[in-house]
């Protein structure tokens, strides 16, 4: 008679840790404060990633992957007249293994369609473009068939980004003997 398959405790601990980490990441992203102008680091990084990839490809750069991170400038909400700003840094790779970077400052993000600011993209050590508007601000608002933009700060009813966690478990079995 075959004994039932049992999942080792170490595997369960790894899975539990991964689920907790995913919950923490999604919770932090959902609670990210925006500035009085509605600028959020999550929206800036998402939109810069999408619009930056399209702009690079329009310039003939074959993008394998691009990942952007944004941070709100601490002085952005110091006074009511100060314009909100976020620093953004993107890193990526071309299809042939070359480095890609996009960096600069974003002062406005419009619904996952475009960002305003001062951004410079480089690939293979050369400047590909410098943009003050990246993306298509006049594009139609995303429909349910397309990927929705991240929710605006304080928009409780907006859809949240999906978090996917993949855990690879290696199990070594030794014969009993």
């Amino acid at each position: 008679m075959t004994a039932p398959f049992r999942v080792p405790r170490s595997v369960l601990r790894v899975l539990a840790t991964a689920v907790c980490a995913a919950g923490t990441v999604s919770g932090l992203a959902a609670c990210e404060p925006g500035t009085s102008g509605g600028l959020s680091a999550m929206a800036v990084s998402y939109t810069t990633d999408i619009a930056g990839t399209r702009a690079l490809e329009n310039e003939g750069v074959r993008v394998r992957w691009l990942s952007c991170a944004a941070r709100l400038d601490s002085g952005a909400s110091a006074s009511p007249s100060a314009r909100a700003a976020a620093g953004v840094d993107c890193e990526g790779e071309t299809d042939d293994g070359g480095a890609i970077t996009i960096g600069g400052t974003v002062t406005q993000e419009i619904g996952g369609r475009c960002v305003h600011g001062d951004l410079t993209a480089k690939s293979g050590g050369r400047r590909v473009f410098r943009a003050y508007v990246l993306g298509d601000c006049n594009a139609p608002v995303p429909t349910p068939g397309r990927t929705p933009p991240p929710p605006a700060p304080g928009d409780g009813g907006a859809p949240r980004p999906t978090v996917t966690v993949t855990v690879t478990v290696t199990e070594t079995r030794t014969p009993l003997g």
Side-chain angles (χ1 to χ4, degrees):
M1 183 155 122
T2 308
F5 179 73
R6 300 185 106 170
V7 178
R9 287 188 187 269
S10 60
V11 171
L12 292 175
R13 279 192 289 261
V14 168
L15 290 173
T17 302
V19 169
C20 289
T24 301
V25 168
S26 65
L28 289 174
C31 297
E32 175 193 25
T35 63
S36 59
L39 196 63
S40 80
M42 184 176 69
V44 167
S45 59
Y46 171 85
T47 305
T48 304
D49 187 324
I50 298 301
T53 298
R54 286 185 188 137
L56 285 163
E57 289 176 346
N58 286 342
E59 293 295 323
V61 177
R62 295 179 49 120
V63 179
R64 176 178 294 161
W65 62 270
L66 185 70
S67 178
C68 297
R71 69 210 164 280
L72 296 177
D73 290 344
S74 59
S77 59
S79 73
S81 63
R83 184 165 183 135
V88 65
D89 293 301
C90 306
E91 293 181 353
E93 189 175 288
T94 63
D95 280 349
D96 61 1
I100 299 172
T101 61
I102 299 177
T105 303
V106 170
T107 55
Q108 185 179 18
E109 185 275 336
I110 300 177
R113 297 176 293 192
C114 72
V115 290
H116 290 245
D118 187 2
L119 297 163
T120 302
K122 294 181 180 179
S123 176
R126 70 173 181 88
R127 187 168 89 174
V128 178
F129 64 78
R130 182 173 181 188
Y132 299 99
V133 176
L134 194 56
D136 183 359
C137 299
N138 296 319
V141 175
T143 60
R146 294 154 92 189
T147 303
D155 189 4
R160 298 266 184 235
T162 302
V163 175
T164 303
V165 176
T166 303
V167 177
T168 303
V169 179
T170 304
E171 182 177 320
T172 304
R173 293 185 180 203
T174 56
L176 298 174

